[in-house]
Amino acid sequence: MKLSRPVSWFLLAFGVWSWVIWITFVKNLVKDSSGLAFDDGHPTAYFFVHLTLAVVSFVLGTIVGGIGLRGLRALSRTSRTS
């Protein structure tokens, strides 16, 4: 399957955006002082659920961004040979 240039850029941007958002979220989760993420210094279920969401989002963002990057590389290869 061949991806168009706009679709490839969108997928790559989505992957980068996912990393930026979730890194910020994890930093805030670790610094949480409201008592949701940590109870007497011990991680809570809230912490583990949201950490799991972040890890899954990192993986999916990497996969989606990688597809976008591969699409852009394929387009640049075809434009050089044409």
Side-chain angles (χ1 to χ4, degrees):
M1 174 172 50
K2 185 176 177 183
L3 298 175
S4 69
R5 190 170 310 277
V7 170
S8 295
W9 275 111
F10 174 79
L11 294 175
L12 181 59
F14 180 86
V16 170
W17 176 256
S18 180
W19 271 84
V20 169
I21 292 300
W22 285 99
I23 285 174
T24 303
F25 181 82
V26 168
K27 285 180 182 178
N28 291 335
L29 183 65
V30 170
K31 293 188 301 186
D32 178 57
S33 61
S34 70
L36 286 173
F38 296 97
D39 185 23
D40 292 329
H42 300 294
T44 63
Y46 176 91
F47 176 82
F48 287 115
V49 166
H50 286 83
L51 185 62
T52 301
L53 287 171
V55 169
V56 169
S57 293
F58 289 141
V59 170
L60 293 176
T62 301
I63 291 169
V64 169
I67 292 169
L69 186 61
R70 288 179 66 186
L72 289 172
R73 286 183 177 167
L75 286 168
S76 70
R77 277 195 306 268
T78 58
S79 67
R80 278 187 270 157
T81 59
S82 299

